[in-house]
């Protein structure tokens, strides 16, 4: 709750009853006014542009009454009110000394030994709290299994329907992951695949992948997932300069394995937000193109860091492995969690279907569920 406010022309300072103080600029308060002329009451969207705010905006009065802050702006002569909780939630006057390479709040990094988050097909379809828990696991851990599903082809599309939409690519709405003659992609062979993120040659990359098992009686073919954020954290702990190189220079990725397709990107292996938060990993030996954006004097150190990140990713202590049964699937956050598979051969067959979807849709569905069902999910 607000206790009182003081102001000068350009800044309002409020004190909460916890003793915490927070400063807000006149321009910021005016831009974020909550009145119906500034924000549409129906959809919450802003009705004004930055140019609609006078450049000489100032505060002529600021006072607290009934726990709310009332501010009058000049030269408009406009008075607006801000609830105490809203100000507390949106305060930006805080210590900014955040470490580079940190993960966002709500993300838990992991190594081998954690129980793979998992939910049951029928339960997530019938029980919103279970669905919410499954989506929350993808948000927190970057992957989750779904078991007990149907074994019909295209069932994976129903997984995407639970939270969003399939993202179509040149591989179609979904793709068959099984051994093919003349494969257009090494995924369509029995070869083992090093842990990787998919399609780093796209910009933006597909942010979620669903891999759905229809048959898996072959020897081998186990799935392995590795937390790329944990790998990046380890690299930063072991070799902070190498971490900075992989984050600081673009790599290059390319795919031109089928007719009419030539996908290229120029993006870093470790992607940070402008203020240093870890936001993405791209790691894929099959589709790395020659790196030409690293200065000559740094190239050997860049490669040493790339090798070191690869060793961390390949370390068996990092991966969570499981063998999918028919009707089982898993979803990975393709901006964070790498997936691998052991090679397979011999009698029996292995048939997975894969598709892409987008994380913003999953996070939107989760956030909307959290707003309407505030109780904790089981
Ligand atoms: Fe893949």
């Amino acid at each position: 709750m607000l206790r009182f406010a003081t102001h000068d022309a350009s800044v309002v300072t409020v004190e909460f009853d916890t003793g915490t103080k927070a400063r807000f600029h006149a321009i910021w308060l005016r831009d974020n006014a909550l009145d119906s002329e500034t924000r549409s009451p129906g959809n919450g969207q802003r009705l004004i542009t930055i140019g609609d705010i006078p450049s000489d905006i100032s505060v002529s009065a600021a006072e607290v009454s009934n726990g709310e802050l009332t501010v009058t702006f000049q030269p408009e002569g406009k008075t607006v009110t801000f609830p105490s909780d809203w100000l507390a939630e949106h305060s930006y006057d805080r210590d900014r000394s955040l470490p580079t390479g940190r993960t966002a709040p709500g993300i838990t990094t992991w190594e081998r030994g954690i129980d793979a988050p998992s939910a049951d097909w029928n339960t997530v379809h019938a029980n919103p709290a279970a669905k919410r828990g499954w989506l929350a696991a993808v948000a927190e851990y970057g992957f989750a299994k779904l078991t007990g599903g149907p074994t019909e082809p295209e069932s994976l599309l129903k997984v995407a329907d639970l939270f969003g939409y399939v993202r179509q690519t040149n591989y179609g709405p979904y793709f068959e992951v099984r051994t093919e003659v003349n494969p257009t992609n090494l995924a369509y062979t029995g070869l083992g695949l090093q842990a990787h993120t998919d399609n780093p040659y796209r910009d933006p990359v597909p942010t979620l992948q669903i891999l759905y098992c229809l048959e898996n009686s072959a020897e081998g073919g186990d799935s392995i997932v590795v937390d790329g954020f944990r790998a990046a954290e380890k690299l930063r702990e072991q070799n902070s300069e190498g971490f900075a190189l992989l984050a600081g220079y673009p790599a290059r990725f390319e795919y031109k394995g089928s007719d009419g397709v030539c996908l290229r990107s120029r993006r870093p292996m470790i992607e940070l937000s402008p203020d240093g938060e870890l936001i993405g990993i791209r790691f894929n030996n099959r589709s790395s193109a020659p790196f030409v954006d690293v200065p000559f004097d740094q190239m050997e150190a860049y490669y040493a860091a790339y090798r070191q990140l690869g060793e961390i990713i390949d370390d068996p202590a990092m991966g969570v492995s499981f063998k999918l049964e028919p009707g089982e699937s898993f979803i990975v956050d393709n901006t964070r969690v790498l997936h691998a598979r052991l090679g397979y051969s011999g009698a029996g067959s292995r048939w997975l279907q894969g598709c892409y979807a987008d994380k913003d849709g999953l996070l939107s569905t989760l956030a909307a569920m959290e707003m309407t069902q505030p109780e904790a999910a089981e």
Side-chain angles (χ1 to χ4, degrees):
M1 200 64 123
L2 284 172
R3 193 181 284 165
F4 65 88
T6 57
H7 77 280
D8 61 25
S10 58
V11 174
V12 175
T13 303
V14 298
E15 185 174 319
F16 296 93
D17 53 15
T18 55
T20 309
K21 286 186 178 178
R23 297 168 296 174
F24 295 90
H25 292 95
I27 179 67
W28 188 97
L29 288 167
R30 177 64 192 91
D31 189 38
N32 290 292
L34 299 163
D35 64 292
S36 61
E37 290 169 357
T38 307
R39 288 268 175 189
S40 168
N43 59 33
Q45 293 199 296
R46 186 182 276 99
L47 295 161
I48 63 167
T49 68
I50 183 66
D52 291 329
I53 303 174
S55 58
D56 58 348
I57 187 82
S58 65
V59 172
S60 60
E63 59 185 50
V64 170
S65 64
N66 300 323
E68 294 192 321
L69 173 68
T70 301
V71 181
T72 302
F73 297 99
Q74 301 300 342
E76 293 172 291
K78 184 178 180 70
T79 298
V80 297
T81 298
F82 297 90
S84 176
D85 289 350
W86 189 93
L87 288 170
E89 203 176 313
H90 294 90
S91 172
Y92 58 89
D93 187 10
R94 57 177 186 266
D95 176 21
R96 293 282 165 182
S97 54
L98 297 168
T100 294
R102 70 189 180 282
T103 53
I107 284 187
T108 301
T109 62
W110 46 267
E111 299 176 19
R112 190 182 71 180
I114 65 155
D115 288 332
S118 185
D120 173 73
W121 176 281
N122 288 328
T123 310
V124 297
H125 280 85
N127 179 341
K131 175 166 140 179
R132 181 178 145 184
W134 173 66
L135 298 177
V138 178
E140 180 177 355
Y141 300 102
F143 81 109
K145 288 173 66 182
L146 192 59
T147 60
T151 54
E152 282 99 56
E154 302 195 350
S155 295
L156 81 171
L157 303 177
K158 294 180 182 156
V159 180
D161 286 345
L162 282 164
F163 59 80
Y165 306 94
V166 165
R167 176 164 160 192
Q168 294 203 35
T169 68
N170 55 293
Y171 301 115
Y174 64 91
F175 42 90
E176 310 287 352
V177 186
R178 58 182 167 188
T179 302
E180 291 182 356
V181 181
N182 299 323
T184 56
N185 192 302
L186 291 175
Y188 312 150
T189 68
L191 295 173
L193 299 176
Q194 187 192 25
H196 60 278
T197 60
D198 259 37
N199 292 199
Y201 40 77
R202 292 184 205 284
D203 190 2
V205 298
T207 47
L208 294 175
Q209 177 169 201
I210 299 163
L211 280 165
Y212 198 103
C213 178
L214 298 172
E215 294 173 10
N216 205 3
S217 57
E219 192 72 24
D222 299 40
S223 299
I224 301 161
V225 288
V226 176
D227 187 354
F229 282 4
R230 183 77 193 107
E233 288 173 340
K234 285 199 157 195
L235 179 65
R236 192 192 60 206
E237 287 159 16
Q238 294 170 12
N239 177 2
S240 61
E241 287 163 15
F243 176 94
L245 287 171
L246 297 188
Y249 292 107
R252 298 268 184 143
F253 300 96
E254 183 175 273
Y255 174 80
K256 48 185 179 185
S258 53
D259 290 344
V261 178
C262 186
L263 289 156
R264 290 175 177 148
S265 72
R266 178 181 182 271
R267 288 279 164 180
M269 288 194 211
I270 297 173
E271 185 167 13
L272 303 175
S273 70
D275 62 354
E277 186 180 286
L278 196 50
I279 55 172
I281 299 291
R282 292 177 188 78
F283 190 87
N284 190 318
N285 66 304
R286 285 167 291 141
S287 54
S288 295
F291 306 141
V292 294
D293 301 289
V294 180
F296 181 87
D297 291 342
Q298 310 263 39
M299 187 61 87
E300 286 182 326
Y302 183 91
Y303 261 95
Y306 178 27
R307 177 186 300 280
Q308 196 169 354
L309 179 62
E311 287 168 352
I312 293 167
I313 286 167
D314 289 341
D315 182 347
M318 289 291 285
V320 170
S321 61
F322 44 86
K323 181 160 181 171
L324 292 177
E325 299 295 330
E328 294 188 344
S329 61
F330 69 101
I331 180 163
V332 283
D333 176 345
N334 190 50
T335 67
R336 167 184 172 187
V337 172
L338 301 86
H339 58 283
R341 73 149 186 249
L342 299 181
Y344 64 93
S345 62
S349 59
R350 185 181 191 270
W351 179 20
L352 271 59
Q353 291 185 320
C355 74
Y356 300 117
D358 277 310
K359 193 168 63 163
D360 58 354
L362 185 149
L363 296 177
S364 163
T365 301
L366 175 60
M369 292 183 89
E370 286 172 344
M371 277 194 281
T372 55
Q373 310 164 22
E375 76 282 4
E378 287 305 309

